[in-house]
Amino acid sequence: MDVRGRRITVFGMADSGIAIADLLRRRGALVTASDVKPREALPAFDHPFIPQSPAALEHCDIAVLSPGVPPDQPIFGQAAARGVLVVGDVEAASWFLQGPILGITGTNGKTTTTALAGHLLREAGIPCQVGGNIGRPVAAMVETSRPDQWNVLELSSFQLETSRTLRVRIAAVLNITQNHLDRHHTFERYAAAKARILACQQPEDFAVLNAENAASAALASQARGQVRWFSAGGPCARGFWMQDGQLIADGTPLMAAVEIPLRGRHNVENVLAAACCAWLAGAPLEAIRRGVASFQGVEHRIEFVREISGVQFYNDSKATSVDATRKALESFDSPLWVILGGKDKGSDYRELRPLLAERARAVLLIGAAAPIIASHLEGAVRLIPCGDLRTAVETAWREARPGDTVLLAPACASFDQFSGYEERGRVFKSIVHSLEPRP
C-alpha cells in the first residue's frame, strides 16, 4: 500500500507501536502517536502525540492498533463507520514486508515452535528471520526482509484479530484452548481470531493443524490451503506424527523422541509442528533431525535455572494460561512447589485441581489473582499466600526437600506486578541465584 501523504495515527506506543510508527513515517506517511498513558510515562519517540480519544482520530485516514489495544473500543467502531481504515500493526507492516511468511499461532507452544522453526531453517541453510510476538516486531523486520527469505512469525490472537489481507504461506495452529477471555470475551471469538491466520491463504499454501486438538483440527473445514497434520498420539493423514517413541515424517522415520532435548509431551507436539513447517519450506529431513537435537529451548519456557542442595528450580514464566501450566505440571515427576498467580484473564483454575493434588506439595500464591485461584483450588492442595515472587521463592526454598522441584508456572499474565512475562522470569531467576546453599 502506498501511504505517502496519508494521515495515520498509531495507537499504543510500546515497542510494536513505535516500530510501526517509525516505518510508516519512513514510507512517507504523516504519523501521529496516541496512547492511554500520558506521554511522560511512555518510551521515547519523536512523533506528534495526542492522548487516546476521539480527537486522535480527527483528520485521520488510517488507524493502526498495537497488539495491546482492543479493537472493539467504541472510538474505533465510530472511526470505521466514518471511513477510517482500522488495522493492526502486523497488517500494516505486511504491506511492506518482502518474502513469504511462515506463521505460527496457538494458545501454548508458539514461542518455542517459532524459535525452533527458525532454527531448523537455518540448520538447513534456508534464509530466514524470526520475529512477531517473539522478539522483533514485524515492522522492525521490514528493512531486513528479502524476496528469497522466509519471515518466521509468532502471531498472537491480538495480532491476528485485526488482520484482513495478511497472507501466511505456511500457517500452523498448534492448539486452541481457553485463554484471553478478558480481551475476547468468549471462546468462540478467541478461536475466530486464531483462525484469521488461514483467511488469506491460496491453494498452493499450507495449513498445519493439530490432529489431537479439537479446535485446531476443526479449522481444516475452512482451510483454503493444503492441510497437513501433526500428532503426538499416532499416525495421521499427511504430516508428522509420533508412534512407538519414534517421530515419523510423512511416513519416513525421522528420529527417536528421546533425542528431543526439551521436557514434556507438549514439546513433542511443538517439535512435530516445527519440523513439518520447516519441511514444507524446503528443509531436508537430515537437517531437521540435526536441528531438533541441537535446539536448547527458549528463555522462560520450562527453563532450568539451578539446583541447590538437591532442589531444582524451573522458570516457566511464559505459562500465562491454565493450559500452559497444566502442560508444565505434566512435565515433572518430582514433587512440586508451584508458584501461581498474577493478573487474571478470566481463567478457570479448577482444571488444575487433579494434577496439583497428585504432584504438588503446595501452591504458592502471588499477585492480584491469588484470591480467585485460592477459591478455585481450595481443598485440592496446600495453599500458601505469599503476595510477591520473592516471598514465594524463599518460602518454597525454606520448605522444599532434596529431590523436590520449585516451578514458576503462573497460569496468569504478569501485568499486575511486572512489565511482562520476561521481567517476571528474570526476576525469578535473579532471586533463585541469590539463594545460599544449605549447610
Side-chain angles (χ1 to χ4, degrees):
M1 178 180 288
D2 187 355
V3 298
R4 288 175 294 182
R6 306 291 294 277
R7 296 165 300 182
I8 300 178
T9 302
V10 176
F11 291 87
M13 296 307 292
D15 290 347
S16 294
I18 293 171
I20 192 63
D22 291 347
L23 172 64
L24 291 168
R25 184 173 60 184
R26 290 196 301 270
R27 297 301 170 118
L30 305 174
V31 177
T32 300
S34 185
D35 201 289
V36 294
K37 296 179 181 178
R39 179 155 190 167
E40 58 269 20
L42 297 169
F45 56 85
D46 59 357
H47 302 281
F49 179 79
I50 299 176
Q52 184 172 313
S53 64
L57 287 161
E58 291 180 7
H59 314 297
C60 174
D61 302 313
I62 303 173
V64 177
L65 312 186
S66 297
V69 180
D72 58 358
Q73 295 181 56
I75 62 169
F76 301 124
Q78 295 160 11
R82 297 201 313 267
V84 175
L85 177 62
V86 180
V87 299
D89 72 302
V90 170
E91 177 86 353
S94 74
W95 298 337
F96 312 105
L97 191 68
Q98 298 185 77
I101 294 174
L102 190 167
I104 294 166
T105 195
T107 304
N108 300 305
K110 55 187 180 293
T111 297
T112 296
T113 306
T114 302
L116 176 56
H119 179 73
L120 297 181
L121 292 183
R122 294 189 189 103
E123 184 69 30
I126 297 173
C128 72
Q129 57 176 351
V130 178
N133 200 49
I134 174 178
R136 298 167 67 198
V138 180
M141 301 170 66
V142 168
E143 303 303 333
T144 53
S145 64
R146 307 196 313 259
D148 64 340
Q149 174 181 264
W150 283 93
N151 299 289
V152 183
L153 305 181
E154 177 185 328
L155 296 169
S156 71
S157 61
F158 294 2
Q159 294 168 318
L160 288 167
E161 68 180 333
T162 49
S163 70
R164 296 294 177 268
T165 63
L166 182 70
R167 182 180 178 187
V168 182
R169 301 297 183 92
I170 301 174
V173 182
L174 305 179
N175 45 65
I176 306 176
T177 59
Q178 182 175 288
N179 198 16
H180 293 303
L181 298 190
D182 56 334
R183 166 76 170 250
H184 299 292
H185 309 301
T186 68
F187 177 76
E188 290 72 22
R189 289 180 59 178
Y190 172 60
K194 292 291 191 187
R196 296 296 309 165
I197 197 171
L198 307 178
C200 296
Q201 288 196 308
Q202 300 299 315
E204 62 270 28
D205 300 334
F206 294 95
V208 179
L209 304 177
N210 186 347
E212 291 196 292
N213 177 261
S216 173
L219 297 181
S221 63
Q222 56 185 277
R224 300 183 180 186
Q226 303 170 53
V227 175
R228 296 293 183 268
W229 299 96
F230 68 95
S231 170
C236 46
R238 299 291 305 277
F240 283 49
W241 61 86
M242 181 174 72
Q243 184 176 13
D244 299 327
Q246 297 291 317
L247 272 58
I248 309 297
D250 209 33
T252 300
L254 176 63
M255 62 191 299
V258 295
E259 296 179 66
I260 298 174
L262 307 176
R263 296 182 72 107
R265 186 178 187 274
H266 65 288
N267 273 319
V268 174
E269 293 185 342
N270 295 338
V271 166
L272 290 166
C276 187
C277 288
W279 180 63
L280 293 171
L285 294 183
E286 177 54 31
I288 291 173
R289 189 199 65 75
R290 289 196 312 269
V292 171
S294 64
F295 184 67
Q296 295 304 309
V298 297
E299 190 179 16
H300 312 301
R301 203 68 183 98
I302 314 188
E303 175 192 10
F304 175 71
V305 179
R306 186 184 181 192
E307 181 174 332
I308 325 170
S309 303
V311 178
Q312 294 191 334
F313 290 79
Y314 278 84
N315 165 33
D316 197 15
S317 184
K318 189 71 168 61
T320 59
S321 70
V322 168
D323 192 53
T325 297
R326 177 182 60 78
K327 290 178 178 178
L329 296 174
E330 291 173 342
S331 300
F332 292 89
D333 296 322
S334 56
L336 296 171
W337 298 80
V338 184
I339 301 173
L340 294 180
K343 181 180 181 293
D344 179 56
K345 298 191 290 183
S347 301
D348 185 350
Y349 305 97
R350 286 176 289 244
E351 297 177 23
L352 299 175
R353 290 176 66 92
L355 272 173
L356 290 169
E358 175 189 344
R359 304 187 181 207
R361 294 199 190 277
V363 166
L364 304 106
L365 296 170
I366 64 172
I372 301 170
I373 299 173
S375 69
H376 286 196
L377 299 182
E378 186 177 6
V381 64
R382 179 187 174 199
L383 302 174
I384 307 175
C386 293
D388 61 76
L389 190 53
R390 176 171 290 278
T391 301
V393 173
E394 292 178 348
T395 300
W397 170 231
R398 194 163 53 246
E399 298 202 27
R401 312 166 192 170
D404 289 357
T405 295
V406 178
L407 172 65
L408 172 66
C412 293
S414 57
F415 303 120
D416 58 335
Q417 296 180 335
F418 302 96
S419 62
Y421 73 84
E422 299 96 335
E423 184 193 11
R424 178 171 62 189
R426 288 171 188 145
V427 169
F428 174 76
K429 292 192 287 184
S430 175
I431 296 168
V432 170
H433 284 298
S434 73
L435 299 174
E436 294 290 337
R438 293 167 179 161

